[in-house]
């Protein structure tokens, strides 16, 4: 499909956070685009990912950004959170603040995983040395001179060197030469003598560096002094999210404005935030996406004025402390072990036994044993490589002499030209962007650089694309297309192995958008073992680079279904435009594989099938879906005929089998349905992906036949959670059957619902992504009598999509009343929900569990006449020995 590409080679100077994020993006972009890449990672540090910021082992040193905002990927915000959950911290939330050392481990592991995925496409060399100079080559490449004397020629280089070192220009000469002065506190072992000493300490600077060192050096009997011109410590983060605010109105009109007007707009936004949320933080945070643009709109003089007048105020409010850090600081100040001073250092003299007397502006003098420079980064990049670039004119300082001048990250000379393919990101772009030192900004820059350094391969002219099983073209090569077709075929037949086939497709072609989207869909709706956000991010990246309009539309559909953003309407719109998209049709029509469109009424679904019918020309898959919809309409005879027609063409069609199972159940043919389905499950149904669901159907027949011994035997043989049933299926099939047997007095003795709950992840139980799953989670939690978890599920549903808010949340309330034996309230709530219950999706037989729970509540409340009316209505629909037994047992 694509031309064979020449091998690119890129050097990254610096293996801290910025360099690691760049390496991750380069690896994944090269892998996705199948572009051969030699990557050189140049840094003397022993481990990639840590740099200065994340090498500290002090557990009190925490990130100053919540976990939820620290993902390595701009398009997968939950990546770091999921990593923590998989690495020993299952209870962590996106609002927590991890330790900085833990984050360094995350960056290193993320790079390692990216290298593993890109094996065969990307070759990495880790060079434990420094780059000291750089020149261009005659062919337009870059040659780096390394500290060990060797040259390295590459196509391009990224200078991920981090912030400039502190200049200590504030320090009097006598202090700079004193052994009691720590100029680089983050150097390995630099503060060890201070930590081991009992003497007082002066930290010059009151920013985040000073806060971390104050915690490290805090000890009984010692006073830590912190000094700055403003005397302001960083503000703390709120204990919990205060809400989000949109950017202020008229912000686009501030692109060409004065500092005064901008200042007034910011203060108005902060005031509005305080009035709306009772907190200034959402107002300030709403400016973050626009800060770089607004900074560029100011003149150099206005930028200098801002730094002089508002710089300290901005930094203390913008770069905040974690709540736990703020609590440590507060305790130290209350105990008077930490004193904060406003002023500057005027003079330093040596006192007795080598101690220092530090004279401050305002005539105060502090006797301390040590002075530590915590003033933060300087303006001018001072590493040998940068000095060489500035001296040669290849690079020039950025605005206000901060960092380096760049255009979209590429270094510029004094004439504004890019002489060499040299790029940078993060702190060296501070003069250009102002806010550029935090992970949320750096990860975006890293992704942009990867796209720029590794251009998209061109398609061969006249090349023909492979197609799926229904003739739709696929943006991939033949081998990956064959695996995709296998996965699609298995989805349409409701057979196992679809996930593996789609995974093979994207392993063969990591840039195959449709393969990633199919995996995300299976993970989201079918509880397949897929990292859904990761698969979705891969689908979106690939779709932007290589996909046709149909594939991009399908990726958008899956994105919206996962995020709950108009996913149902997007799916229907997609099918109107792309009628032969079988995977989309399977996702839209609720049968067995997917939850379907939640508010798709029978007539709407039939119109959708009529619309798509010409694209299938009587294909067994389309006929199977039609059979299922006909039984939902109550047209059971017609549904049976359609199901048999589909099975004659494809005996493994799980959709047709499912339709026939419902025909038997709804028509009351319980003995025939039990025997036919039991034979299919033990024969052609052995490879069915939802075999447990078919066993559930057999058990429903046995329950209706009032054969509790058969129900119990089948549950333990085919539905007990463990080797056969797990995850969502344990909720939908095993858990619901247990509860239906319990409320109909068909299950006596030990009630093994605990095994159901253990088979399901806590997030699925208490924070389900779909209303259909949420309904069955509520049933299982009710069966277990877990009132606390049921209320957590209710709270989740109240803040989720519309169907969960309007159906699941009140359903949880009714179930909670049942658990608390408030049967009258439970019955009233359940009865009110029956007319709208179909909005959760699934089949009538699955939703029937709520009706049976209502019957149980009515009987428990002593409302036998209402229970008798409900049983009469059920018996009018279909005769069942169990319902006749329940009716006969009601008091007259």
């Amino acid at each position: 499909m694509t031309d064979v590409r020449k091998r690119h080679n890129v050097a990254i100077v610096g293996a801290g956070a910025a360099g690691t994020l760049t390496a991750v993006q380069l690896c994944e972009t090269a892998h996705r685009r199948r572009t051969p890449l030699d990557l050189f990672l140049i840094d003397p540090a022993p481990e990639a990912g840590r740099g200065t910021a994340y090498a500290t082992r002090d557990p009190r040193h925490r990130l100053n950004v919540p976990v939820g905002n620290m993902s390595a990927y701009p398009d997968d915000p939950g990546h770091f959170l999921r990593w923590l959950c998989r690495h020993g911290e299952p209870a962590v939330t996106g609002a927590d603040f991890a330790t900085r050392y833990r984050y360094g481990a995350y960056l290193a592991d993320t790079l390692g995983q990216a290298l593993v995925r890109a094996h065969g496409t990307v070759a990495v060399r880790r060079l434990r040395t420094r780059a000291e100079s750089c020149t261009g080559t005659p062919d337009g490449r870059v040659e780096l001179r390394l500290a060990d004397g060797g040259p390295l020629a590459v196509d391009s280089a990224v200078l991920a060197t981090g912030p400039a070192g502190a200049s200590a220009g504030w320090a009097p000469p006598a202090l700079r030469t004193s052994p009691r002065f720590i100029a680089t506190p983050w150097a390995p072992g630099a503060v060890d003598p201070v930590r081991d000493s009992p003497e007082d300490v002066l930290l010059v600077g009151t920013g985040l560096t000073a806060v971390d060192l104050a915690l490290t050096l805090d000890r009984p009997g010692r006073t830590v002094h912190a000094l700055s011109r403003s005397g302001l410590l960083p503000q703390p983060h709120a204990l919990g999210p205060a809400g989000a605010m949109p950017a202020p109105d008229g912000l686009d009109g501030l692109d060409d404005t004065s500092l005064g007007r901008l200042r007034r707009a910011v203060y108005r936004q902060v005031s509005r935030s305080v009035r709306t949320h009772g907190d200034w933080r959402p107002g300030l945070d709403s400016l973050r996406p626009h800060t770089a643009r607004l900074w560029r709109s100011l003149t150099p003089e206005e930028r200098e004025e801002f730094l002089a007048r508002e710089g300290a105020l901005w930094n203390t409010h913008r770069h905040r402390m974690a709540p736990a850090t703020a609590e440590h600081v507060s305790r130290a100040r209350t105990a008077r072990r930490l004193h904060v001073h406003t002023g500057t250092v005027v003079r330093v003299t040596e006192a007795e036994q080598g101690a220092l007397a530090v004279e401050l502006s305002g005539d105060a003098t502090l006797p301390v044993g040590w002075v530590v420079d915590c003033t933060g980064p300087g303006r001018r990049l001072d590493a040998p490589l940068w000095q060489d670039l500035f001296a040669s004119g290849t690079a020039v300082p950025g605005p206000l002499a901060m960092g380096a001048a760049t255009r979209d990250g590429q270094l510029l000379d004094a004439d504004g030209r890019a002489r060499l393919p040299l790029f940078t990101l993060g702190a060296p772009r501070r003069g250009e962007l102002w806010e550029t030192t935090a992970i949320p900004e750096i990860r975006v820059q890293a992704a942009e650089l990867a796209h720029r350094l590794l251009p998209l391969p061109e398609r061969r002219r006249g090349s023909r694309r492979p197609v799926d099983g229904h003739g739709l073209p696929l943006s991939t090569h033949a081998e990956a297309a064959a695996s995709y077709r296998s996965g699609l075929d298995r989805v349409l037949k409701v057979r196992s192995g679809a996930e593996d086939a789609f995974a093979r497709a994207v392993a063969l072609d990591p840039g195959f958008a449709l393969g990633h989207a199919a995996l995300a869909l299976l993970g989201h709706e079918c509880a397949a073992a897929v990292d859904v956000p990761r698969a979705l991010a891969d689908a979106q990246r690939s779709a932007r680079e290589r996909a046709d309009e149909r594939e991009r539309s399908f990726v958008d559909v899956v994105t919206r279904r996962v995020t709950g953003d108009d996913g149902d309407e997007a799916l229907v719109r997609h099918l109107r435009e792309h009628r032969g998209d079988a995977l989309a049709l399977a996702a839209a029509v609720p049968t067995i594989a997917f939850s379907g469109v939640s508010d798709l009424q029978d007539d709407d679904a039939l119109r959708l099938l009529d619309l798509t019918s010409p694209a299938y020309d009587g294909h067994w898959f389309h006929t199977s879906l039609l059979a299922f919809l006909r039984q939902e309409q109550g047209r059971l005879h017609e549904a049976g005929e359609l199901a048999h027609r589909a099975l004659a063409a494809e005996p493994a069609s799980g959709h047709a089998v499912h339709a026939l199972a419902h025909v038997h159940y709804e028509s009351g043919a319980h003995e025939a349905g039990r025997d036919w389905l039991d034979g299919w499950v033990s024969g052609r149904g052995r490879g069915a992906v939802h075999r447990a669901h078919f066993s559930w159907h057999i058990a429903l027949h046995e329950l209706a036949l009032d054969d509790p011994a058969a129900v119990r035997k089948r549950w333990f043989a085919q539905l007990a959670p463990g080797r056969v049933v797990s995850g969502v299926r344990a909720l939908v099939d095993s858990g619901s059957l247990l509860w239906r047997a319990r409320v109909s007095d068909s299950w006596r003795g030990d009630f093994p619902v605990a095994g159901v709950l253990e088979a399901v992840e806590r997030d699925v139980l208490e924070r389900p992504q779909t209303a259909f799953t949420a309904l069955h989670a509520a049933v299982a939690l009710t069966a277990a009598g877990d009132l606390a978890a049921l209320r957590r599920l209710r709270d989740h549903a109240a803040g989720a999509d519309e169907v969960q808010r309007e159906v699941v949340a009140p359903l949880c309330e009714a179930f909670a009343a049942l658990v608390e034996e408030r049967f009258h309230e439970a019955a009233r709530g359940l009865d009110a929900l029956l007319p709208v219950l179909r909005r959760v999706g699934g089949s009538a037989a699955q939703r029937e569990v709520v009706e049976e729970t209502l019957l149980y509540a009515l009987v428990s409340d002593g409302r036998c006449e209402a229970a008798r009316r409900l049983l009469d209505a059920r018996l009018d629909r279909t005769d069942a020995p169990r319902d006749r037994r329940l009716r006969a047992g009601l008091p007259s």
Side-chain angles (χ1 to χ4, degrees):
M1 179 177 170
T2 57
D3 295 325
V4 176
R5 302 302 307 271
K6 79 177 188 70
R7 197 164 190 89
H8 287 255
N9 46 66
V10 178
I12 301 175
V13 180
T20 298
L21 292 174
T22 304
V24 167
Q25 290 292 341
L26 283 169
C27 287
E28 299 205 347
T29 301
H31 183 50
R32 187 169 61 249
R33 297 177 178 181
R34 289 176 285 158
T35 301
L37 172 66
D38 289 322
L39 185 61
F40 300 89
L41 201 54
I42 304 169
D43 194 309
E47 185 180 1
R50 297 204 178 276
T52 298
Y54 308 117
T56 171
R57 290 181 176 271
D58 191 327
R60 293 167 295 186
H61 294 173
R62 295 190 170 270
L63 299 174
N64 66 312
V65 175
V67 163
N69 291 336
M70 288 295 285
S71 168
Y73 299 98
D75 51 3
D76 185 3
H79 189 262
F80 180 41
L81 174 61
R82 300 197 305 278
W83 185 90
L84 287 171
C85 291
R86 290 194 301 266
H87 289 79
E89 300 184 45
V92 71
T93 72
D96 291 332
F97 293 79
T99 65
R100 283 166 44 192
Y101 192 81
R102 193 79 164 130
Y103 188 71
Y106 161 71
L107 289 179
D109 186 60
T110 300
L111 176 57
Q113 293 298 320
L115 292 174
V116 169
R117 285 191 294 271
H119 180 70
T121 302
V122 179
V124 177
R125 284 185 61 192
R126 179 80 160 84
L127 304 179
R128 295 277 303 277
T129 184
R130 298 183 187 278
E132 295 190 334
S133 64
C134 176
T135 57
T137 64
D139 59 355
R141 303 171 78 216
V142 172
E143 183 173 283
L144 297 169
R145 179 66 60 176
L146 306 180
D148 59 14
L152 176 65
V154 291
D155 295 323
S156 54
V158 178
L159 310 187
T161 55
S167 64
W170 56 268
L175 179 60
R176 288 201 293 270
T177 59
S178 171
R180 295 288 187 130
F181 178 55
I182 310 298
T184 54
W186 293 121
V191 298
D192 289 350
V194 188
R195 186 188 293 111
D196 298 337
S197 165
E199 298 165 293
D200 292 350
V201 181
L202 172 62
L203 309 177
V204 180
T206 57
L208 291 169
T209 296
V211 167
D212 281 343
L213 287 170
L215 298 183
T216 295
L217 301 176
D218 182 29
R219 57 181 291 177
R222 163 185 281 165
T223 300
V224 176
H225 301 274
L227 169 74
S228 70
R229 293 179 184 274
S230 67
L232 298 175
L233 288 171
Q235 291 289 313
H237 278 278
L239 290 175
M245 283 188 69
D249 295 336
L251 198 62
D252 292 339
L254 297 177
D255 282 344
D256 183 16
T257 187
S258 67
L259 176 60
R261 185 179 171 209
L262 179 57
R263 182 185 289 123
R264 289 191 294 274
V266 171
Y267 278 112
R268 281 197 301 271
Q269 178 74 345
V270 171
S271 297
R272 188 179 302 117
S273 178
V274 172
R275 291 195 302 272
T276 305
H277 299 282
D279 190 349
W280 52 267
R281 295 170 182 84
L284 195 65
D285 293 344
S286 70
L287 301 171
R288 184 167 188 170
H290 311 279
T291 303
R293 178 169 57 84
L294 296 175
W295 173 258
R296 285 195 295 264
S297 73
L298 301 177
T299 66
E301 294 76 18
E302 288 174 323
R303 294 179 191 177
E304 281 284 16
E305 180 186 345
F306 168 78
L307 292 179
R309 290 185 54 183
E310 280 97 12
L313 191 64
W314 173 271
N315 284 330
T316 56
H317 286 75
R318 174 67 186 79
H319 304 289
R320 305 192 279 270
M321 294 185 281
T325 302
E327 178 63 24
H328 280 296
V329 169
S330 177
R331 287 202 299 266
R333 296 189 76 177
T334 301
R336 303 190 64 79
R337 296 194 307 273
L338 173 62
H339 288 266
V340 180
H341 305 269
T342 302
T344 60
V345 174
V346 175
R347 185 178 298 104
V348 176
T349 57
E350 189 171 331
E352 296 179 0
Q353 298 178 343
L356 301 173
V358 182
E359 183 179 333
L360 310 182
S361 57
D363 297 332
T365 299
L366 298 176
V368 296
W370 304 87
V371 177
V372 185
D373 188 352
C374 301
T375 55
R379 290 195 178 189
R380 187 172 179 85
L381 298 165
D382 54 1
L385 177 58
W386 284 108
Q387 290 180 353
D388 175 74
L389 291 171
F390 291 146
S392 67
T394 303
V396 294
L400 307 186
M402 290 194 295
T406 73
R407 181 184 301 117
D408 298 327
Q410 187 168 11
L411 298 184
L412 302 177
D413 64 13
D415 297 324
R417 298 176 305 169
R419 289 194 194 179
L420 297 176
L422 284 172
F423 302 83
T424 192
L425 75 165
R429 298 184 67 184
R430 188 165 172 242
E432 172 195 358
L433 303 175
W434 177 237
E435 288 285 343
T436 180
T437 58
I439 294 296
E441 283 77 33
I442 294 173
R443 67 191 180 194
V444 171
Q445 296 173 26
E448 291 170 349
L449 279 179
H451 284 283
R452 184 169 181 181
L453 297 180
L454 299 175
L456 278 167
E458 295 180 3
R459 283 188 59 199
R460 290 197 188 105
R461 293 182 179 178
S463 62
R464 297 181 62 181
R465 291 190 292 165
V467 296
D468 69 5
H470 297 267
L472 298 180
L474 301 172
S475 297
T476 187
H477 54 69
E479 293 83 1
S483 289
Y484 179 82
R485 284 193 296 271
S486 174
L488 178 60
D489 183 64
R490 290 172 182 276
V491 168
L492 302 188
K493 292 177 180 175
V494 199
R495 302 199 53 91
S496 61
E499 174 193 340
D500 292 338
F502 290 140
R504 282 196 303 274
V506 297
L508 289 165
D509 181 5
F512 183 24
L514 213 54
H516 290 297
L519 281 172
L521 186 65
L522 290 185
H524 174 65
E525 299 213 10
C526 305
V530 175
D531 186 340
V532 173
R534 174 73 190 180
L536 192 58
D538 285 336
Q540 293 164 342
R541 297 166 195 159
S542 301
R544 287 192 294 268
E545 296 179 358
R546 172 166 46 93
D548 62 19
E549 192 277 331
R550 175 186 73 92
E551 292 166 322
R552 288 193 298 271
S553 174
F554 186 78
V555 170
D556 180 65
V557 165
V558 177
T559 300
R560 291 176 181 274
R561 286 183 76 81
V562 170
T563 60
D565 178 18
D566 190 28
D568 287 349
E569 292 186 18
L571 179 54
V572 173
R573 287 195 302 269
H574 174 85
L575 281 166
R576 290 193 183 111
E577 295 294 325
H578 309 286
R579 302 177 185 185
D581 194 331
L583 184 55
L585 186 61
V589 179
T591 56
I592 181 173
F594 301 100
S595 62
V597 175
S598 61
D599 59 351
L600 197 67
Q601 303 297 316
D602 292 338
D603 290 343
D604 296 329
L606 285 168
R607 279 193 289 269
L608 196 57
L609 287 182
D610 286 343
L611 179 71
T612 56
S613 179
Y616 293 90
D617 192 25
H619 191 275
W620 58 263
F621 167 64
H622 197 273
T623 303
S624 300
L625 298 185
L626 184 59
F628 191 86
L629 287 182
R630 289 304 187 205
Q631 66 82 24
E632 283 281 284
Q633 289 181 303
R635 297 163 64 172
L636 302 180
H637 180 72
E638 185 179 351
E641 289 185 343
L642 289 167
H644 283 296
R645 185 190 309 168
L647 287 168
E650 177 49 72
S653 172
H655 288 296
V657 172
H658 192 215
L660 201 54
H662 278 274
V663 168
H664 286 138
Y665 184 75
E666 300 297 341
S667 64
H670 296 302
E671 292 182 352
R674 175 197 60 195
D675 296 341
W676 182 87
L677 193 53
D678 201 13
W680 185 85
V681 166
S682 59
R684 288 192 177 272
R686 287 182 180 276
V689 69
H690 296 302
R691 192 179 180 197
H693 186 65
F694 294 115
S695 296
W696 173 83
H697 269 283
I698 302 171
L700 278 193
H701 286 306
E702 293 167 338
L703 196 61
L705 289 168
D706 210 17
D707 189 351
V711 172
R712 190 180 185 92
K713 180 179 178 181
R714 189 167 303 276
W715 194 92
F716 281 109
Q718 298 177 356
L719 287 163
R723 184 175 59 86
V724 178
V725 187
S726 61
V728 172
R729 286 259 69 96
L731 281 181
V732 174
D733 299 322
S734 310
S736 68
L737 181 68
L738 266 182
W739 179 243
R740 292 171 81 154
R742 178 72 171 268
V743 297
S744 62
D745 199 26
S746 300
W747 191 284
R748 305 269 176 94
D750 293 338
F751 191 58
V753 70
V756 174
L757 300 184
E758 290 170 1
V760 184
E761 292 185 6
R762 182 57 54 177
D763 271 2
V764 175
L765 277 171
E766 298 183 10
R767 293 183 289 275
Q769 295 182 330
T770 67
F772 179 75
T773 303
L775 163 66
H776 288 87
V779 168
L781 293 172
T782 302
D786 192 340
L787 194 60
L790 193 57
R791 284 174 172 157
R792 288 193 293 271
L793 174 61
R794 174 204 60 193
D795 293 343
H796 162 79
D801 59 79
E802 181 179 344
V803 178
Q804 291 207 51
R805 291 196 305 271
E806 297 181 1
V807 181
V808 175
L811 185 68
C812 290
E813 291 281 7
F815 280 154
L818 190 77
V819 172
E820 294 181 320
E821 298 186 357
R822 294 182 284 115
F823 297 117
H824 187 79
E825 293 177 41
R828 185 175 57 204
L830 294 172
D831 187 54
L833 288 168
L834 288 182
V836 297
L837 200 59
R838 67 175 302 147
R839 294 178 64 192
V840 303
S843 66
Q846 288 170 315
R847 298 188 298 268
E848 197 176 51
V849 65
V850 177
E851 184 181 73
E852 293 178 359
T853 306
L854 169 61
L855 178 62
Y856 174 77
L858 290 171
V859 174
S860 300
D861 193 40
R863 297 168 60 190
C864 296
E865 186 56 38
R868 188 175 290 107
R869 288 196 300 270
L870 180 56
L871 281 168
D872 286 342
R874 288 170 60 87
L875 288 166
D876 284 343
R877 291 200 307 263
T878 176
D879 183 59
R882 179 199 56 177
D883 285 352
R884 280 190 271 113
R885 187 253 302 170
L886 291 173
R887 192 186 188 286
L890 291 173
S892 57

